[in-house]
């Protein structure tokens, strides 16, 4: 046995007998292969794993760089000086538009009072009769009970003498926040989603940030006059683009209340009063005209707890088309800007 081992060692070392690199390679492969095939497989696996980890690292780095470029393109700045806790901005004021639906109003006030970012709740009241003392007292108690913070939100009815859709955008005195969250009394946005949308708005406080996207597109041109069409949710879904977010659930800066009431062409307010429609389109045009930028759609859960509204009535789409066309002619140009970007909280999304 010792003689055989000595001969093998002599042969492998090239000392004695015919030597060639090919023989040495074959001999080494035979030694390691016969000794431990499991060890060789483990080495191959570890070598492959290193390459996979390196590839994964490169991929994640590329995604991070792409994300930052997209944010820059959209005008969003995640390092904007303002933040949720910024004392100069505080939280947001919830502006609820209601009309003879006290049961829905109670649910809505109770919900938004429980959101941590809510600094105040204002109810736009346009009914002929003022709210009853019973309703006032009930809602004030609900706000105190539901609030999750030491600082309790202010609660107030903003009373109007006439029923007019323009009332929802009247300036409000003594506001402590720059942010307005405009919402219908039958729309509920979960607090976590609402607070996320607020942080998005803080990165672009001059634009509208909302949950209900809509779009416009060129319909036809006749005799030098351009006509546009209004697109609902299915149009947004199909085209993958939008140019408006409706004020039934949207953030905007408080200064737009002043602009809507005092700077926007009065003919547009008159149109809204006569047609009892399209105040949300008017606000979208106003903000786009002031900024030259698109709105931001926040993708998130939204619950509509009321019965079907005017959007379910026959001829609603035709009326919206007419509104859009008439408003654009009053502006003399199309101020809306289309985009296909959206904001989504990746912490609670299925796909990143």
């Amino acid at each position: 046995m010792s003689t055989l081992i000595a001969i093998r060692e002599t042969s492998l070392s090239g000392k004695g007998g015919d030597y060639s690199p090919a023989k040495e390679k074959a001999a080494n492969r035979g030694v390691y292969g016969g000794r431990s095939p499991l060890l060789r497989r483990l080495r191959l696996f570890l070598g492959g794993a290193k390459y996979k980890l390196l590839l994964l690292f490169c991929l994640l780095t590329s995604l991070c760089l792409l994300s930052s470029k997209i944010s820059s393109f959209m005008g969003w700045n995640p390092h904007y000086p303002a933040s949720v806790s910024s004392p100069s901005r505080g939280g947001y004021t919830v502006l609820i538009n209601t009309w003879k639906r006290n049961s829905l109003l109670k649910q809505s006030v109770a919900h938004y009072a429980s959101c941590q970012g809510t600094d105040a709740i204002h109810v736009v009241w346009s009914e002929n009769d003022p709210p009853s003392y019973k309703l006032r007292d009930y809602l004030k108690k609900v706000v105190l009970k539901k609030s999750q913070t030491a600082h309790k939100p202010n609660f107030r009815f903003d009373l109007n003498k006439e029923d007019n859709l323009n009332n929802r955008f009247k300036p409000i005195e003594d506001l402590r926040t720059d942010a307005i969250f405009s919402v219908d009394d039958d729309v509920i946005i979960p607090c976590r989603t609402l607070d996320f949308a607020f942080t998005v708005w803080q990165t672009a406080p001059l634009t509208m940030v909302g949950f209900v996207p809509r779009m416009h597109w060129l319909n036809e041109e006749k005799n030098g006059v351009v006509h546009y069409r209004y697109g609902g949710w299915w149009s947004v879904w199909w085209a993958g683009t939008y140019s408006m977010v409706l004020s039934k659930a949207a953030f905007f800066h408080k200064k737009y209340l002043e602009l809507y009431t005092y700077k926007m062409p009065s003919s547009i307010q008159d149109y809204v009063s006569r047609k009892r429609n399209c105040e949300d389109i008017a606000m979208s045009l106003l903000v786009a005209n002031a900024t030259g930028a698109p709105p931001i759609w926040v993708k998130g859960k939204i619950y509509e707890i009321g019965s079907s509204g005017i959007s379910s009535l026959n001829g609603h789409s035709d009326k919206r088309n007419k509104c859009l066309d008439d408003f654009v002619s009053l502006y003399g140009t199309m101020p809306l800007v289309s985009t296909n970007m959206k904001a989504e909280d990746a912490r609670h999304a299925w796909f990143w």
Side-chain angles (χ1 to χ4, degrees):
M1 179 66 70
S2 60
T3 303
L4 289 175
I5 293 176
I7 292 174
R8 176 177 294 178
E9 289 177 347
T10 301
S11 175
L12 290 177
S13 63
K15 297 176 182 179
D18 295 331
Y19 168 77
S20 74
K23 288 182 179 181
E24 181 177 357
K25 183 177 180 180
N28 287 332
R29 184 168 63 245
V31 171
Y32 290 118
R35 184 186 305 173
S36 179
L38 181 60
L39 180 61
R40 184 165 63 89
R41 291 181 182 178
L42 181 60
R43 288 180 176 177
L44 291 174
F45 173 78
L46 290 176
K50 289 179 181 179
Y51 287 112
K52 290 177 181 178
L53 289 174
L54 180 61
L55 179 62
L56 179 61
F57 174 77
C58 293
L59 180 61
L60 291 176
T61 303
S62 300
L63 287 175
C64 290
L65 292 174
L66 179 62
S67 176
S68 64
K69 290 183 179 296
I70 290 175
S71 297
S72 175
F73 172 77
M74 282 297 295
W76 303 348
N77 181 4
H79 305 295
Y80 195 84
S83 64
V84 178
S85 59
S86 172
S88 63
R89 292 176 185 261
Y92 45 82
T93 297
V94 179
L95 188 60
I96 304 175
N97 191 60
T98 189
W99 174 254
K100 294 186 176 181
R101 299 193 291 191
N102 290 350
S103 60
L104 297 181
L105 178 62
K106 291 176 181 179
Q107 294 180 61
S108 184
V109 170
H111 170 72
Y112 291 112
S114 68
C115 298
Q116 292 187 357
T118 300
D119 178 81
I121 299 176
H122 286 246
V123 176
V124 180
W125 188 272
S126 301
E127 298 180 26
N128 292 329
D129 298 324
S132 65
Y133 287 106
K134 182 179 180 181
L135 179 62
R136 293 172 187 255
D137 292 340
Y138 175 86
L139 292 178
K140 288 180 179 179
K141 291 178 181 178
V142 163
V143 169
L144 294 176
K145 179 180 179 181
K146 294 293 184 179
S147 175
Q148 303 293 320
T149 61
H151 165 72
K152 303 301 179 183
N154 287 340
F155 176 79
R156 192 173 80 187
F157 278 96
D158 294 332
L159 305 181
N160 298 280
K161 296 181 180 179
E162 61 177 350
D163 174 24
N164 191 323
L165 286 177
N166 292 307
N167 291 340
R168 73 181 305 166
F169 299 135
K170 280 187 175 180
I172 301 173
E173 296 181 359
D174 304 324
L175 279 179
R176 298 184 300 191
T177 70
D178 290 340
I180 300 290
F181 179 63
S182 173
V183 64
D184 287 352
D185 59 5
D186 63 342
V187 175
I188 299 294
I189 307 295
C191 291
R192 185 172 63 183
T193 305
L194 184 63
D195 289 338
F196 170 72
F198 178 53
T199 64
V200 174
W201 176 85
Q202 286 183 302
T203 67
L206 296 183
T207 193
M208 288 186 73
V209 175
F211 296 92
V212 186
R214 295 293 183 263
M215 67 173 291
H216 77 281
W217 70 85
L218 180 64
N219 184 26
E220 60 182 356
E221 184 174 350
K222 290 183 178 179
N223 301 323
V225 179
V226 178
H227 296 277
Y228 295 90
R229 290 188 64 84
Y230 171 89
W233 161 246
W234 289 112
S235 297
V236 173
W237 177 84
W238 180 260
T241 187
Y242 65 98
S243 56
M244 294 174 273
V245 290
L246 299 187
S247 56
K248 66 185 295 182
F251 281 98
F252 53 79
H253 197 283
K254 67 180 181 181
K255 76 173 187 176
Y256 292 120
L257 299 178
E258 296 276 346
L259 293 178
Y260 186 98
T261 303
Y262 301 118
K263 299 296 183 180
M264 187 178 71
S266 58
S267 54
I268 295 181
Q269 289 194 45
D270 295 339
Y271 188 105
V272 170
S273 298
R274 292 195 315 270
K275 302 295 185 179
R276 297 183 59 81
N277 203 334
C278 302
E279 83 288 353
D280 47 2
I281 296 178
M283 177 57 85
S284 290
L285 288 166
L286 173 72
V287 176
N289 188 62
T291 63
I296 300 175
W297 168 32
V298 175
K299 185 179 179 181
K301 292 181 179 179
I302 176 171
Y303 301 98
E304 299 195 46
I305 59 177
S307 57
S308 300
I310 61 173
S311 60
S312 62
L313 300 177
N314 291 332
H316 177 71
S317 295
D318 293 336
K319 292 178 181 178
R320 303 286 274 186
N321 293 337
K322 187 71 164 57
C323 283
L324 184 60
D325 250 358
D326 292 342
F327 290 168
V328 170
S329 66
L330 291 172
Y331 271 99
T333 185
M334 167 52 82
L336 295 175
V337 179
S338 298
T339 181
N340 54 13
M341 297 294 187
K342 63 183 176 183
E344 185 174 11
D345 191 344
R347 297 170 298 177
H348 310 296
W350 281 98
F351 300 101
W352 168 248

